[in-house]
């Protein structure tokens, strides 16, 4: 492996832990609170999770826990998209486990949840673990998007765990993977399988959060990486004064990433999908708002600027949402016939015939390349892959047409030259920021302490994150507490409620209070690259979202 000087230096970084987790592991005792309730649909969830519903929130105090010294085997899985810090979750878990008993073993299942059902795994050694400390990526064991959801899969999990003498599984994933972790925990209890399950909140999207999970890991590093790039582009735009830059930002559904990057970089326009949905803005209105800014700035001679576009936007625009829903259903229901249509012309003709009148009109009015992208392969859940739809280009095309019209009518006299960008994969495997390195290591170590205290069906939780790590509060949250019932594939399913941007939340309000100024006055801020060494104010700060939320 070729090792860069930064990687070499990061190997030596010692992640910080919350005070309580610095004790000997057999001197950390669980303290349980009152029984809990799910966020909604309490009665139904109680029926679905008879063994794990209502468990109390877990905290830790100093006290004897001799069980922590027992030699055990623990399995770990990385699930879903990469997020910086995953390697440190595993490092924290490994160190905790070995601190408990050096004969304990950590087994990493390869390539995501499918590695567990196909029993493909490696056993961690000190040497192997050390090669991945404080590095980005999920390449330590790989990840995947297979869902663990059928009884057959659950039974295979039991078999594999029994064969490997595994008494606990740690599932590192987003809302869906943690939902499945809870279902698995319940199933293991029902079958008296003696296998504990602990979840760890991961996703750069930042949408796995609530009162007890202040942020998912990876959000910090990813948004800092994108903000560096956005800041650099802003400075370029302000230097050359000739381009409008349209930057699409990852985040499948929620706009937390776009909002955090806007707070860090103060662009001229940042679209927040949740606001578009709430105000029922049509594509026309979304475009109209951007044009207003372009025209106002052109009147001041400023034919340049930066627009942030959240990846999920397209699904929040009402007419597009309806269209995508109809397309998803059509492609799922008529999969076999659709596969016989070989040309795009045949496909779009068939689609147009089968869509509702309104959706057919919307589909036909879209540029050809966007139509093609909307018809691309679905993800394993039958959904359109929004990261592959070039929404930023769609906006540019429509804006360009409109401005041309406005020019001929004498309503616009500026110059619209544009560039487009998509920042997503660039941020998912960056070296974790100090925040993510510390947070992830703590989450992993904490997962072990939850296991050592005999808990199952819990998510590893580290709170008080806007404060220095020494003041962080470690504990565990019953996953059922975060659940409600939602309609999935025509059926009500128990799921962890996804956290979208709240329009009455403090971060959105902070943005909304300033955006009109940013639209007209060039107010760019340049965060620069993530700093790993140096004064606290440049290398140990959490996201603005966290700071504002917990001020
Ligand atoms: P997770 O929810 O699994 O963490 O993944 C998030 C994400 O990075 C989204 O922001 C993006 O839409 C998607 O993954 C891209 O998926 P893929 O890696 O399969 O292209």
């Amino acid at each position: 492996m070729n090792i860069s000087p930064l990687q070499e230096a990061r190997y030596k970084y010692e992640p910080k832990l919350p005070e309580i987790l610095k004790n000997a592991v057999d001197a950390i005792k669980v303290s349980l609170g009152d029984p809990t309730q799910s966020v909604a649909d309490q009665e139904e969830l109680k029926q679905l999770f008879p063994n794990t519903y209502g468990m109390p929130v877990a905290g830790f105090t100093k006290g004897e826990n001799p069980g922590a010294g027992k030699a055990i085997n623990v399995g770990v899985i990385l699930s879903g998209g990469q997020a910086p810090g995953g390697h440190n979750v595993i490092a924290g878990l490994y160190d905790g486990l070995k601190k408990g008993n050096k004969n304990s073993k950590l087994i990493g299942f390869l390539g995501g949840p499918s590695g567990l059902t196909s029993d493909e795994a490696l056993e961690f050694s000190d040497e192997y673990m050390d090669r991945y400390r404080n590095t980005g990526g999920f390449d330590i064991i790989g990840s995947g998007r297979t869902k663990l959801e059928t009884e057959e899969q659950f039974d295979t999990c039991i078999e594999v765990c029994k064969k490997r003498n595994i008494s606990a599984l740690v599932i590192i994933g987003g809302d869906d993977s943690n939902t499945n972790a809870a279902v698995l925990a319940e199933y293991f209890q029902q079958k008296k399988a003696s296998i504990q399950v602990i979840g760890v909140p991961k996703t750069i999207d930042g949408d796995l959060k609530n009162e007890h999970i202040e942020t998912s890991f990876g959000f910090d590093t990813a948004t800092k990486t994108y903000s560096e790039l956005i800041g650099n582009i802003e400075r370029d735009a302000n230097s050359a004064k000739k381009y409008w830059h349209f930057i699409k930002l990852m985040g499948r559904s929620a706009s937390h990433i776009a909002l955090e990057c806007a707070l860090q970089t103060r662009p001229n326009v940042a679209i927040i999908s949740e606001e578009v949905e709430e105000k029922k803005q049509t594509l026309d209105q979304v475009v109209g708002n951007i044009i207003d800014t372009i025209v106002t700035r052109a009147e001041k001679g400023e034919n340049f600027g930066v627009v942030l576009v959240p990846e999920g936007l397209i699904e929040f625009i009402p007419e597009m949402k309806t269209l995508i829903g109809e397309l998803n259903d059509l492609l799922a229901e008529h999969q076999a016939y659709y596969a016989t249509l070989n040309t795009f012309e045949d496909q779009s003709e068939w689609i147009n015939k089968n869509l509702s009148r309104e959706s057919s009109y919307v589909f036909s009015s879209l540029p050809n390349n966007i139509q093609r992208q909307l018809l691309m392969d679905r993800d394993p859940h039958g959904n359109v892959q929004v990261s592959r739809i070039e929404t930023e280009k769609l906006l540019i095309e429509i804006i360009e047409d409109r401005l041309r019209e406005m020019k001929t009518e004498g309503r616009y006299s500026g110059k619209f030259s544009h560039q487009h960008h998509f920042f997503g994969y660039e941020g998912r495997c960056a070296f974790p920021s100090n925040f993510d390195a510390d947070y992830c290591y703590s989450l992993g170590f904490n997962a072990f302490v939850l296991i050592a205290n005999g808990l199952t069906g819990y998510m590893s939780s580290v709170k008080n994150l806007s404060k220095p790590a020494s003041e962080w509060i470690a504990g565990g949250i019953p996953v059922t507490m975060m659940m409600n019932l939602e309609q999935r594939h025509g059926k009500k399913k128990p799921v962890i409620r996804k956290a979208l941007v709240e329009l009455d939340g403090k971060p959105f309000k902070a943005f909304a209070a300033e955006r009109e100024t940013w639209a007209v006055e060039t107010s760019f801020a340049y965060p620069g690259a993530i700093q790993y060494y140096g004064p606290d104010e440049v290398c140990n700060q959490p996201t603005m979202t966290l700071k504002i939320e917990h001020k």
Side-chain angles (χ1 to χ4, degrees):
M1 206 196 296
N2 284 332
I3 299 187
S4 68
L6 181 67
Q7 183 161 338
E8 197 67 61
R10 291 309 280 168
Y11 282 156
K12 299 187 190 100
Y13 179 76
E14 284 184 24
K16 304 179 214 60
L17 279 174
E19 264 331 292
I20 186 75
L21 299 184
K22 290 184 191 162
N23 291 292
V25 288
D26 57 4
I28 309 173
K29 220 178 76 175
V30 73
S31 66
L32 299 174
D34 295 328
T36 57
Q37 298 274 14
S38 57
V39 286
D41 310 305
Q42 290 84 7
E43 279 315 308
E44 291 91 331
L45 283 157
K46 209 170 176 175
Q47 305 293 322
L48 289 166
F49 295 87
N51 295 284
T52 51
Y53 182 86
M55 297 186 300
V57 170
F60 299 123
T61 52
K62 273 174 88 169
E64 267 182 52
N65 175 18
K70 212 174 115 200
I72 53 169
N73 292 352
V74 172
V76 64
I77 300 169
L78 288 163
S79 180
Q82 283 68 249
H87 290 169
N88 268 27
V89 176
I90 296 179
L93 175 64
Y94 181 81
D95 290 353
L97 198 60
K98 292 287 178 181
K99 233 177 140 180
N101 188 317
K102 63 177 176 11
N103 295 319
S104 289
K105 289 181 187 159
L106 182 62
I107 316 289
F109 289 99
L110 304 179
S114 63
L116 174 55
T117 46
S118 61
D119 193 18
E120 285 169 272
L122 60 78
E123 186 189 323
F124 286 92
S125 63
D126 290 350
E127 194 265 325
Y128 189 72
M129 191 64 252
D130 288 350
R131 287 204 306 221
Y132 291 92
R133 289 179 189 271
N134 305 307
T135 59
F138 276 6
D139 43 324
I140 188 167
I141 47 173
S143 185
R145 290 199 182 276
T146 309
K147 275 186 158 219
L148 294 180
E149 53 184 357
T150 65
E151 287 206 359
E152 201 187 338
Q153 287 173 317
F154 294 170
D155 288 333
T156 311
C157 293
I158 296 179
E159 266 169 48
V160 171
C161 289
K162 291 263 176 274
K163 184 183 134 200
R164 291 183 175 271
N165 201 18
I166 286 174
S167 59
L169 280 176
V170 174
I171 298 183
I172 305 171
D175 52 344
D176 274 348
S177 310
N178 274 285
T179 295
N180 294 335
V183 178
L184 202 57
E186 174 66 33
Y187 190 79
F188 289 167
Q189 290 282 93
Q190 278 173 25
K191 296 278 161 176
K192 306 210 178 325
S194 302
I195 307 164
Q196 296 162 256
V197 185
I198 300 294
V200 177
K202 171 235 71 168
T203 178
I204 62 158
D205 292 3
D207 55 8
L208 174 44
K209 67 170 181 176
N210 50 52
E211 193 192 336
H212 298 283
I213 305 296
E214 294 178 1
T215 187
S216 53
F217 79 75
F219 178 70
D220 185 90
T221 310
T223 52
K224 281 176 178 155
T225 305
Y226 305 143
S227 297
E228 178 211 347
L229 299 174
I230 296 164
N232 295 350
I233 286 175
E234 287 179 340
R235 199 141 212 172
D236 195 286
N238 199 18
S239 305
K241 302 197 188 295
K242 62 176 182 182
Y243 291 127
W244 272 91
H245 292 267
F246 285 70
I247 306 173
K248 184 173 81 164
L249 291 166
M250 222 175 215
R252 190 198 314 273
S253 179
S255 300
H256 297 291
I257 292 181
L259 179 56
E260 171 63 24
C261 292
L263 290 166
Q264 287 194 36
T265 62
R266 304 165 161 257
N268 303 100
V269 178
I271 304 170
I272 303 299
S273 305
E274 289 83 346
E275 187 181 24
V276 170
E277 184 172 54
E278 166 84 15
K279 295 186 174 162
K280 298 191 174 41
Q281 290 176 347
T282 59
L283 184 55
D284 226 46
Q285 286 165 322
V286 173
V287 164
N289 292 343
I290 305 174
I291 289 183
D292 288 347
T293 303
I294 295 175
V295 172
T296 314
R297 285 178 65 80
E299 282 161 7
K300 298 186 349 158
E302 306 210 308
N303 290 299
F304 67 94
V306 169
V307 179
L308 303 187
V309 181
E311 176 183 271
L313 172 67
I314 196 124
E315 287 193 303
F316 283 78
I317 297 173
E319 72 268 27
M320 296 298 294
K321 188 177 178 173
T322 312
L323 167 64
I324 290 171
E326 286 186 29
L327 286 175
N328 286 346
D329 289 349
L330 271 180
L331 296 182
E333 279 164 33
H334 303 276
Q335 214 173 5
Y337 176 71
Y338 185 75
T340 65
L341 303 171
N342 292 324
T343 65
F344 169 68
E345 286 67 32
D346 289 347
Q347 291 169 350
S348 63
E349 193 190 322
W350 180 80
I351 288 287
N352 260 318
K353 260 196 270 170
N354 287 283
L355 286 171
S356 66
R357 213 157 60 93
E358 295 75 19
S359 290
S360 166
Y361 173 76
V362 175
F363 186 73
S364 316
S365 62
L366 292 170
N368 215 270
N369 55 335
I370 301 290
Q371 289 183 359
R372 282 175 194 270
Q373 288 160 13
L374 284 171
L375 298 183
M376 274 179 320
D377 292 343
R378 278 20 204 175
D379 73 6
H381 315 294
N383 298 319
V384 69
Q385 299 179 56
V386 281
S387 64
R388 296 176 66 189
I389 297 183
E390 294 170 316
T391 324
E392 70 287 18
K393 289 196 194 163
L394 171 67
L395 294 177
I396 291 174
E397 275 188 46
I398 305 177
I399 290 170
E400 210 166 21
D401 279 355
R402 291 272 189 80
L403 289 176
R404 209 174 292 124
E405 258 173 53
M406 289 172 73
K407 210 167 217 171
T408 51
E409 294 162 10
R411 293 193 287 134
Y412 168 68
S413 57
K415 190 168 173 300
F416 181 65
S417 298
H418 49 81
Q419 300 285 350
H420 58 87
H421 317 260
F422 170 35
F423 298 150
Y425 300 96
E426 295 81 344
R428 297 203 310 184
C429 286
F431 280 99
S433 60
N434 288 349
F435 174 89
D436 268 330
D438 299 344
Y439 181 43
C440 291
Y441 188 81
S442 301
L443 285 171
F445 198 100
N446 190 51
F448 166 69
V449 180
L450 291 168
I451 294 168
N453 278 283
L455 301 177
T456 187
Y458 277 75
M459 196 182 288
S460 177
S461 148
V462 175
K463 298 198 324 185
N464 214 23
L465 297 171
S466 59
K467 299 279 174 358
S470 55
E471 294 173 42
W472 288 358
I473 301 164
I477 310 300
V479 180
T480 51
M481 191 182 174
M482 306 169 201
M483 291 179 134
N484 64 174
L485 293 178
E486 287 176 20
Q487 197 79 8
R488 299 279 163 96
H489 303 293
K491 276 198 198 140
K492 287 254 182 199
K493 285 235 164 186
V495 292
I496 294 178
R497 188 184 269 178
K498 210 184 249 310
L500 298 179
V501 169
E502 287 174 12
L503 302 184
D504 57 358
K506 289 185 197 164
F508 180 80
K509 281 188 177 165
F511 158 71
E514 301 228 49
R515 63 175 159 183
E516 277 168 32
T517 313
W518 302 349
V520 185
E521 310 294 336
T522 303
S523 317
F524 302 152
Y526 313 119
I530 294 178
Q531 301 297 309
Y532 300 93
Y533 303 96
D536 263 3
E537 60 275 22
V538 298
C539 71
N540 281 322
Q541 295 301 314
T543 56
M544 298 198 54
T545 305
L546 259 181
K547 281 198 212 172
I548 295 170
E549 273 172 347
H550 298 277
K551 211 168 15 194

